[in-house]
Amino acid sequence: MSEPALAPRSPFGGVVIVWGAALLAAIAIGIFVPAEWRVQWLIVGFGGAVLLSFALQLWYGQTKGFILRTAASVTGALLLLGVVSAGFALAALVPA
């Protein structure tokens, strides 16, 4: 008797995890980092999102769609960090 094949994990889970990690990193950078260092730390946060994306997609273990899933993770993280960066820039224009 053979065992039934298990259902594969959802490939979008890794994409959403990377987006969530990028959002949490952006929030932490906005809270804990001084304004003059935020851009540099957002770049570091994006690098971490890229590494996390590769790690999660390699852990998923499915070769089909690897580039698409990784690109979706990285592009979403880049857009999210860009929007947060624009928010930081607009907040810097408002007098305190």
Side-chain angles (χ1 to χ4, degrees), residues 35 38-39 42 81-96:
R38 284 188 183 148
V39 173
L42 284 171
L81 289 170
V83 167
V84 171
S85 175
F88 290 157
L90 290 175
L93 294 176
V94 176

Side-chain angles (χ1 to χ4, degrees), residues 3-57:
E3 294 181 25
L6 296 176
R9 293 183 294 264
S10 172
F12 273 129
V15 175
V16 173
I17 289 172
V18 172
W19 293 349
L23 180 63
L24 290 176
I27 291 170
I29 289 167
I31 293 172
F32 297 114
V33 175
E36 61 270 6
W37 286 97
R38 284 188 183 148
V39 173
Q40 291 86 349
W41 277 101
L42 284 171
I43 294 170
V44 171
F46 178 66
V50 169
L51 293 175
L52 180 64
S53 174
F54 278 116
L56 287 175
Q57 295 308 322

Side-chain angles (χ1 to χ4, degrees), residues 48-70:
V50 169
L51 293 175
L52 180 64
S53 174
F54 278 116
L56 287 175
Q57 295 308 322
L58 287 172
W59 175 74
Y60 178 64
Q62 182 75 351
T63 58
K64 186 176 180 181
F66 174 79
I67 300 295
L68 183 64
R69 291 188 311 269
T70 304

